[in-house]
Amino acid sequence: MKKFLAMMLALAMVASLAACSSSSSSSDTTAAETEAATEAAETEGTDETEAADSTTGDGELITVGFAQVGHESDWRTASTQSCQDVFCEANGYELVFVDCDQDSAAQLDAVRNFIEQDVDYVIIDPIVSTGWDTVLTECEEAGIPVIVIDRTIDDSDNYTAWVGSDFTAEGYAAGEWLNAYAEAKGIEISGILVIEGTTGSSAQLGRTEGFQEIADNYGWTILDSQDGDFTEAGGQEVMESYCQSYSGQFNVVICQNDNEAFGAMTAMDAAGITYGVDGDVILISFDACTAGLEYVQAGSINADFECNPLAAPFVAEIIESLEAGEEVESTVYMTEHWYVAEEDVLTSITVNGEEQELTYVTDEIVEAQY
Ligand code: GZL
């Protein structure tokens, strides 16, 4: 009965998806979700009843409501796919997925809809880090555990666990790499321009804070730091403005994700500004998605600081422990790598006194990336 009810409510949810995201992205996502579930079921060679037994033992699927940030970047696509691959019927789950299209109000509505549907678990990747306390209390009162992934919630700790990355550490690593690289290459850093991620997201806050601290330590000048919203269009728009306003004043560009870097490269190409290993501007990025690593391998991006989007398997472990009545870790950090374009310049950096390895990008690494 619960499964039938969940299915009917899920269908109602799909109908309301347009409220949360543009119809094309929600229908694409639904199609992808269906495709992923079908592929997984075919791969597993397991029918739904057998698969359901594998998770709950009573033939019931575990319903998981996932309020995703949006579809703004390659990183986001990989994050969504990871959840769809793991939380599928073949593995004993029913995923109610909502693409919130970078709209914080819509994301809160999505979580409240999950409560109405009485899902078993809620997963949230919070678009911004504040405004969460009330709805998390509502989930608690409804007896629905919440697992936060990727970005953090900073105004409440009323959730079961968080799985993600240390964004400030990513910013520190980018700053220390830049210092060591400039020294090794004999480059005087004249001026730095930053294209930030979505304002108020913990990824933007952490990367900005970490890099700023290192810049202050070395006395670097950050000429400007504007929001590119983690999108290619945003990165291009901000970089076009920078090329106008700061021509000849900068030799470092920091993009807080790969898609912004793609846009920044388009803008610098149009302005006749060279970048990368053989260019006048050092280009640094974050995420290290496959396309980003291809640009690193080509020497267009000098260094790319990975942010791992594949949190879903770790979330599934948490849910399975909770189903078994076991204690769970409240914080799970993902493993990340710092990728570089040149094998013979630096092999490691020192961050807060700790030596951190650098990874030279090879065909095998690009092939295996997300
Ligand atoms: C970081 C993640 C960010 C990525 C961007 O964990 O939230 O959001 O860096 C994505 O690509 O848009």
Side-chain angles (χ1 to χ4, degrees):
M1 177 55 188
K2 183 177 175 184
K3 193 180 127 204
F4 174 76
L5 177 61
M7 188 70 79
M8 294 310 292
L9 287 166
L11 287 172
M13 188 66 204
V14 167
S16 71
L17 269 180
C20 249
S21 63
S22 55
S23 55
S24 59
S25 60
S26 59
S27 59
D28 291 351
T29 303
T30 308
E33 187 180 346
T34 308
E35 189 183 332
T38 307
E39 273 174 23
E42 282 161 5
T43 308
E44 294 287 318
T46 313
D47 69 27
E48 179 184 303
T49 308
E50 191 182 323
D53 289 347
S54 72
T55 304
T56 63
D58 59 3
E60 290 274 309
L61 295 176
I62 295 177
T63 54
V64 174
F66 176 26
Q68 175 61 293
V69 164
H71 50 277
E72 73 286 356
S73 64
D74 292 31
W75 190 99
R76 191 63 55 200
T77 302
S79 164
T80 294
Q81 192 60 57
S82 173
C83 284
Q84 290 171 342
D85 290 347
V86 169
F87 299 113
C88 61
E89 285 193 9
N91 294 336
Y93 293 97
E94 178 176 355
L95 178 65
V96 183
F97 174 76
V98 179
D99 170 342
C100 299
D101 201 13
Q102 304 226 97
D103 178 336
S104 300
Q107 191 166 47
L108 294 173
D109 288 345
V111 175
R112 291 192 165 99
N113 278 319
F114 295 152
I115 295 172
E116 282 176 31
Q117 296 176 63
D118 191 25
V119 298
D120 296 308
Y121 294 88
V122 168
I123 299 174
I124 300 170
D125 188 334
I127 295 166
V128 292
S129 55
T130 54
W132 287 99
D133 196 44
T134 303
V135 77
L136 290 177
T137 302
E138 291 166 20
C139 287
E140 182 186 41
E141 287 164 354
I144 302 175
V146 174
I147 297 163
V148 180
I149 64 170
D150 176 30
R151 300 181 187 177
T152 58
I153 287 176
D154 297 342
D155 68 343
S156 170
D157 56 8
N158 195 4
Y159 50 85
T160 303
W162 171 82
V163 180
S165 302
D166 183 339
F167 305 118
T168 307
E170 293 169 6
Y172 288 145
E176 291 296 0
W177 173 87
L178 176 59
N179 179 62
Y181 181 77
E183 276 184 8
K185 301 278 272 192
I187 296 170
E188 175 76 26
I189 293 173
S190 60
I192 298 171
L193 290 168
V194 180
I195 302 178
E196 295 184 8
T198 306
T199 300
S201 67
S202 54
Q204 173 267 326
L205 295 168
R207 289 169 190 162
T208 300
E209 177 197 342
F211 185 82
Q212 183 67 59
E213 190 173 314
I214 304 300
D216 293 345
N217 291 347
Y218 293 113
W220 296 333
T221 303
I222 295 182
L223 299 164
D224 208 336
S225 194
Q226 292 179 25
D227 182 357
D229 212 19
F230 284 134
T231 65
E232 183 167 347
Q236 182 173 342
E237 186 181 337
V238 171
M239 195 67 230
E240 284 167 350
S241 163
Y242 284 166
C243 291
Q244 294 288 325
S245 308
Y246 301 102
S247 173
Q249 298 175 51
F250 67 95
N251 63 349
V252 178
V253 172
I254 312 283
C255 295
Q256 289 190 349
N257 86 327
D258 287 330
N259 295 80
E260 289 177 343
F262 305 158
M265 287 190 275
T266 301
M268 286 192 279
D269 288 342
I273 295 173
T274 60
Y275 48 84
V277 169
D278 299 322
D280 295 333
V281 171
I282 296 169
L283 181 56
I284 293 172
S285 185
F286 292 84
D287 280 356
C289 69
T290 299
L293 291 187
E294 287 169 341
Y295 278 113
V296 174
Q297 197 177 29
S300 301
I301 294 176
N302 295 78
D304 202 343
F305 296 83
E306 185 180 37
C307 183
N308 188 333
L310 309 181
F314 299 94
V315 176
E317 276 180 40
I318 291 169
I319 289 176
E320 282 151 32
S321 297
L322 293 171
E323 287 289 303
E326 296 162 0
E327 291 289 309
V328 296
E329 289 294 324
S330 61
T331 303
V332 177
Y333 280 103
M334 309 290 287
T335 305
E336 335 239 85
H337 302 84
W338 312 145
Y339 292 105
V340 294
E342 296 157 278
E343 189 172 23
D344 54 356
V345 178
L346 293 170
T347 55
S348 68
I349 51 175
T350 301
V351 182
N352 294 327
E354 175 206 338
E355 187 172 14
Q356 297 182 3
E357 189 182 283
L358 299 173
T359 304
Y360 171 66
V361 177
T362 62
D363 290 341
E364 291 72 26
I365 285 175
V366 173
E367 185 61 34
Q369 196 60 334
Y370 63 85

